[in-house]
Every structure is written in structure tokens, then in C-alpha cells.
Amino acid sequence: MLSDATDLARDSQILLLIGAWLLGLLAVASLSVLVGGRMADQTRRVGLLKAVGGTPSLVAAVLLAEYLLVAVVAAATGLTIGALTAPLLTESSAGLVGSAGTASLTWSTIGLVTAVALGVAVVATAVPAVRAARSSTVSALADAARPPRRTGWLIALSARLPVPLLLALRVAARRPRRVALGVVSIAVTVSGIYVLLVLNAFLGDQPGTGAYTEAQVAVLRHVLLVWTVILLSLAAVNAIVITWATVLDNRHASALARALGATPQEMTVALAAAQVLPALVGAVLGVFPGG
């Protein structure tokens, strides 16, 4: 009995570790896009801070502190939700080992979760904050539209496409790093779901082999279900953030396209296609290593 309980705890920890790495990558990608979108929306604020005497280091510290505060609030919220939902994972396994169930929340756990949240915030925020702080005060106050990058092969390719796809390709080309983050996000999500489905199929064959009992398979599948829900939820949030940032960043370009004759339907299709095309690439990359 003790050996079975030890194996179950080890396998559960492996599943939790896999899920934690996937969620960590998604969190960095999501926060990076969110910070980029917010920085674009705060350009004039940066210019005002520098105009009244703020140094680049002070401006960067202010921008960084904003997201560190959000990280602390998010860590507190996550700890609260985790403390409330952890019994759902431990109640079914507690009977197998005769334990008291969920362990109490310790200061070391609180400190570790908060440190991870702050680390993710720093990794995703430091570079955009420093870049915004080093921008010209005059250009920041003007908050002019970002000029598009002129690429010969891209112009030649997009010129032969229908108007919605032409606009979608040029929307994606304005922010290649954001497109790359979107591709990585979808690839991580799809590969994670693929791994979870493979593990679920593997567990379905175990009760007859003697490796796991029915009760142990139920516990491990419960862990897989929780990670699947969390992974899909974070991926949905990431998709919403990327779409919001894209629409915000292209408001001037969209107005110009409308002035040149593009219809609202064409602009809607273009913005949707700009999100779907990287998602398709990410889905293919996510399935390919395991397929």
C-alpha cells in the first residue's frame, strides 16, 4: 500500500511539473504581449513623465513597478484559488494513503509563488519598460502612428492577395515579435493538450495491466483534467490579449485603410485572419513533434 501511494505521488508530481512549465511559458508570452500593448497605449504618459524631469531610470522603474504590483495581486489571487481548489485533488487520493488530506498553506509556499510571479513579471516587462524609457520625449509626447516597415518581397506578395488577406498580412508584419509570441503560445497549448491526451489514453489501458488500480487512475485523470482546464483558460486569455493588442496597435492603420476604400467587413476579416494564420502555424508546430 505504501509503495503504491509513493508511486502515485511521484507520478502526480511529474504531471504537475509538466503542467507548471507549460503554464509558465504561456504566462510569459501572455504578459509580454499585454505589456507591449499597454506600453503602446502609455507612450504619451512616458513623454509627460520625462517632460517634467523624470529620468529614463525613473520612468522604467515606474513602468516596472506597475506590473510588479499586478503580479503581487495575481499571486495573492492564485494562492487563494489554489487553497480553495487543492482539496479537490487531494480528497480522492487521501483515502489511498490514509493521510489527513490537503497540507496547510505555509509561508515558504507563499514566498515561492510570489517570487515566481514577480520573476515572470520582470522577464516580460524589463525590456519593454527600458525601451519605452529610452524613447525620445518629443516623439513620446506626439504619440504618432508607427511607420510601417517596407519589405519588398512582402509588398510584392501581398499585392496579389485579396484585400482582407493583404491587410491581414501587413497587420501581422507590423509586429513580428507579437506574431512569434502568438505562434509559440498556440504551439505550447496544442503540444500540451496533445501530451495530456496521450497520457489520458495511456492511463485508460493501465487498470488491466496491474500497473495502476482503478482508484489511482481516477486520481491521475483528475490531475490531467485540472491541468487541461487551466491550460485552455490561460490560452484563451492569451488569445484575447493578443487580439486586443493587435486592434489597439492598428487603430491608425485601420482608419487609413478605411479612408482608402476598405470596408468594415474587410477590416474585420483582416484582423481575424491576422490572428488565425499564426494560430494555424502554431497548431502545426505543436502537433508535429508528437505526430
Side-chain angles (χ1 to χ4, degrees):
M1 175 66 73
L2 181 60
S3 175
D4 293 341
T6 302
D7 293 340
L8 178 63
R10 184 188 66 248
D11 294 338
S12 298
Q13 287 178 347
I14 293 174
L15 294 179
L16 292 173
L17 183 61
I18 294 173
W21 276 106
L22 292 175
L23 293 180
L25 292 174
L26 279 179
V28 172
S30 179
L31 191 55
S32 298
V33 175
L34 177 62
V35 170
R38 287 284 296 158
M39 291 298 179
D41 199 33
Q42 292 179 328
T43 303
R44 185 169 177 81
R45 178 189 173 195
V46 170
L48 290 174
L49 287 175
K50 298 184 72 174
V52 297
T55 62
S57 58
L58 176 62
V59 173
V62 170
L63 296 174
L64 184 60
E66 176 182 348
Y67 294 97
L68 291 180
L69 179 61
V70 173
V72 171
V73 174
T77 304
L79 285 169
T80 303
I81 296 175
L84 295 175
T85 57
L88 299 177
L89 287 176
T90 57
E91 282 176 357
S92 56
S93 60
L96 297 176
V97 297
S99 66
T102 308
S104 59
L105 194 63
T106 63
W107 285 108
S108 60
T109 302
I110 295 174
L112 178 61
V113 171
T114 304
V116 170
L118 292 176
V120 170
V122 170
V123 169
T125 310
V127 174
V130 172
R131 185 185 298 118
R134 290 181 176 178
S135 62
S136 168
T137 303
V138 175
S139 61
L141 287 173
D143 194 14
R146 181 178 178 179
R149 298 179 180 179
R150 304 293 182 182
T151 306
W153 67 268
L154 181 61
I155 295 175
L157 175 63
S158 61
R160 295 176 173 83
L161 297 175
V163 173
L165 291 180
L166 181 150
L167 295 174
L169 189 59
R170 296 190 178 185
V171 165
R174 287 176 60 88
R175 295 288 187 178
R177 284 189 292 269
R178 182 181 298 159
V179 173
L181 286 174
V183 171
V184 170
S185 173
I186 296 299
V188 170
T189 302
V190 172
S191 61
I193 296 299
Y194 180 85
V195 170
L196 293 175
L197 290 175
V198 170
L199 291 175
N200 184 65
F202 170 77
L203 291 175
D205 299 331
Q206 294 308 301
T209 65
Y212 293 100
T213 64
E214 291 283 355
Q216 290 174 326
V217 169
V219 172
L220 293 175
R221 278 185 162 173
H222 201 172
V223 176
L224 291 179
L225 176 62
V226 171
W227 276 126
T228 302
V229 172
I230 296 176
L231 188 63
L232 291 176
S233 300
L234 187 54
V237 171
N238 201 12
I240 293 172
V241 169
I242 291 177
T243 303
W244 165 80
T246 301
V247 172
L248 180 66
D249 189 52
N250 286 276
R251 59 189 187 276
H252 296 296
S254 298
L256 180 59
R258 288 288 307 279
L260 293 175
T263 65
Q265 292 78 11
E266 288 174 337
M267 292 305 307
T268 301
V269 173
L271 291 173
Q275 310 307 311
V276 172
L277 295 178
L280 290 176
V281 175
V284 171
L285 293 177
V287 172
F288 180 74

